[in-house]
Amino acid sequence: MRIAPAPDSFGGYYYNGRSPRRFEVRVWLEAGGLRIEGGEEEQRWLYGELEVSTAHNEPQRVERHGSNEVLVIEDSRFAAALAEYRPPAANIHDLRWPVLLLSCAGLAAVAWLAYTRGVPLLANAMAALAPPFVEERLGQAVAGILAPPSSRCADNAAQRGLSQILGRLKATIPGQTYDFRLAYDASPVPNAFAAPGGQIVFFRGLLDAAETPEEFAGVLAHEMQHVLEKHPTRGIAREFSGRAILSIFSVDSAGRPTAAIAAAELLKLAYRREEEEEADRKAIAMMARAGMRPTGLASLLGRLQERGQASDGPATYLSTHPAMSGRVATLARLAATEGREYGELPAPEGWRSVCR
C-alpha cells in the first residue's frame, strides 16, 4: 500500500505580536523555509529561526525567533511535513545510533511528563496561592499592554449604566474578594478579555455586535468566571515556567510585579478547552441567579458566527477555544435547562454609543 506524502501547504492563523488581530493565512513549506501568504504581506521564515511547540491534542505553534510573531496551525500533519522539509540537525559523532535514539526518546519522555504533568500542577498550585492584590498588579500590567490607556474611552453615562449590570452579577457571588472593574477600548475587534485580578476590557466591536443587554451580560459573566477561577493567572504561570511563576509573587522597587514584562507574551496565550467550557457553564448559572435571561451569550456568538465575525483575541478565543458551532449549541442547551421565565433586562441609556 502506498503511503501518501505529507502536504506542502497548510491553512493557519498569523499573529503579528503587535495587536490582538489574527490573519488567516496559507503556509507553504519550501526548500529554504516557510512562505506565508494572506497576512499583512507575504513573508518568508527561514527554518533556522523557527521555534515549534506542540502539546498533546493541541494546535501546533510556530514562533519566529527574536520576535513576537506566531503561527497557529491546527492540521496535525504539519509536524511530519515540517520534518520532511526542515534540514536535519548537525551530526553527532562518536555515539552509536541505537544509544543515541534511546537517549533522545528517554529525554523526550521525561520532558513530556514534566511539561504535561509538572508545569500544570505547579501553575495551578501557585495561582491558587496568589493573593488578590498581587493578581491585581499583574492584571494592571496585562491590561495596559493589551488595551493601552491611549486607546480606551473616557467615562460617560453609558458606561456607568453598564456598570449596573456588573453590580447585578456581582451580587450573586457574596464574599468574593476581587474588585471587578470595566474598561472599554475603541478597537473594532468583536472581543473582550479578563485580566488577572478582576479588570475586564470590552472592545467597541463587541458592543456594536451586541443587540441586547443580555448579550453584553453573557460575555461579562463569562469573563468574570475566568477571573473567579483564576484562569488568566494559571495561563501566565503555565506559559512562563518556574522562573516566571515565582515572579508573580515578586515586585520591583516601584512595587510593580516583575511578571509585567512576561505579560507582553499574553498575545501568545490561550485558555484551555476545559477552562473555556467551565467559564461558559458557570456564566449561564450566574445569569440565572441574577434573574437575567441566560440565552444572551449563545445568541451573540451565534450571530458572530453567521456573520463570519467570530474573532479570536488575546487570552480569550484563541485556537484552543471549543469549536464555535458546538459551543453555541451547548450554551443554548445549558440556558434551556434553567427552565425559568425572566424579565427583559433594562437597557442602559446610550449603552451602544460607548467608544463612539
Side-chain angles (χ1 to χ4, degrees):
M1 182 177 66
R2 181 176 178 272
I3 299 176
D8 60 359
S9 71
F10 297 83
Y13 301 102
Y14 166 71
Y15 298 86
N16 61 20
R18 300 186 303 274
S19 74
R21 183 183 177 188
R22 76 170 185 180
F23 299 88
E24 187 169 351
V25 296
R26 193 75 186 171
V27 180
W28 296 85
L29 287 87
E30 299 179 340
L34 304 181
R35 176 163 54 90
I36 305 167
E37 298 180 349
E40 297 166 298
E41 59 183 2
E42 182 177 299
Q43 298 189 58
R44 293 182 183 273
W45 293 10
L46 301 178
Y47 290 124
E49 61 186 358
L50 303 184
E51 297 179 11
V52 183
S53 60
T54 305
H56 181 61
N57 289 331
E58 295 291 343
Q60 295 163 93
R61 298 165 55 82
V62 181
E63 301 180 19
R64 193 177 192 182
H65 184 70
S67 75
N68 288 327
E69 296 171 277
V70 178
L71 286 172
V72 176
I73 299 174
E74 297 182 345
D75 193 328
S76 60
R77 298 173 297 173
F78 177 76
L82 182 62
E84 291 183 9
Y85 283 84
R86 199 173 190 179
N91 290 331
I92 302 176
H93 301 288
D94 301 324
L95 285 175
R96 294 183 179 180
W97 281 110
V99 175
L100 179 60
L101 292 174
L102 286 174
S103 299
C104 291
L107 289 174
V110 171
W112 181 82
L113 286 173
Y115 179 79
T116 59
R117 296 290 188 268
V119 170
L121 288 174
L122 182 59
N124 289 340
M126 299 300 286
L129 293 173
F133 78 91
V134 172
E135 290 187 277
E136 288 175 9
R137 289 177 178 173
L138 182 57
Q140 290 170 3
V142 169
I145 292 169
L146 298 182
S150 60
S151 67
R152 296 187 193 179
C153 311
D155 181 60
N156 57 36
Q159 293 182 25
R160 290 191 292 274
L162 290 174
S163 294
Q164 296 176 7
I165 297 177
L166 171 62
R168 188 162 165 177
L169 291 172
K170 285 172 61 176
T172 67
I173 44 174
Q176 63 84 25
T177 56
Y178 290 108
D179 180 20
F180 287 101
R181 302 172 309 284
L182 297 179
Y184 300 89
D185 189 282
S187 169
V189 176
N191 199 21
F193 71 88
Q199 182 157 326
I200 298 173
V201 179
F202 280 82
F203 293 91
R204 191 199 71 222
L206 191 65
L207 295 174
D208 290 342
E211 294 183 354
T212 66
E214 284 85 358
E215 293 182 347
F216 170 87
V219 177
L220 177 55
H222 173 92
E223 300 301 337
M224 291 174 71
Q225 291 302 325
H226 277 314
V227 174
L228 291 168
E229 300 302 323
K230 292 180 177 279
H231 294 162
T233 307
R234 291 178 183 175
I236 293 174
R238 284 195 302 265
E239 181 76 9
F240 305 117
S241 71
R243 186 175 63 177
I245 293 172
L246 294 176
S247 74
I248 292 176
F249 291 91
S250 61
V251 295
D252 61 16
S253 59
R256 297 168 299 189
T258 55
I261 297 175
E265 296 295 309
L266 265 179
L267 288 173
K268 302 177 184 177
L269 284 181
Y271 290 139
R272 294 178 180 270
R273 292 177 188 270
E274 61 267 23
E275 291 174 341
E276 289 287 7
E277 291 166 355
E278 180 181 31
D280 280 348
R281 184 176 64 255
K282 293 189 174 182
I284 295 294
M286 172 181 270
M287 291 188 68
R289 291 196 305 272
M292 302 177 183
R293 276 199 305 254
T295 56
L297 188 56
S299 63
L300 173 59
L301 293 184
R303 187 181 314 110
L304 290 175
Q305 183 187 26
E306 291 173 359
R307 296 176 179 175
Q309 293 179 305
S311 172
D312 290 349
T316 301
Y317 298 122
L318 289 178
S319 55
T320 54
H321 201 286
M324 186 62 72
S325 58
R327 183 186 181 209
V328 171
T330 299
L331 285 166
R333 185 177 68 253
L334 289 172
T337 61
E338 293 298 330
R340 291 172 49 191
E341 294 293 331
Y342 301 91
E344 184 175 344
L345 187 63
E349 182 178 356
W351 69 284
R352 300 195 60 194
S353 66
V354 173
C355 291
R356 286 296 186 182

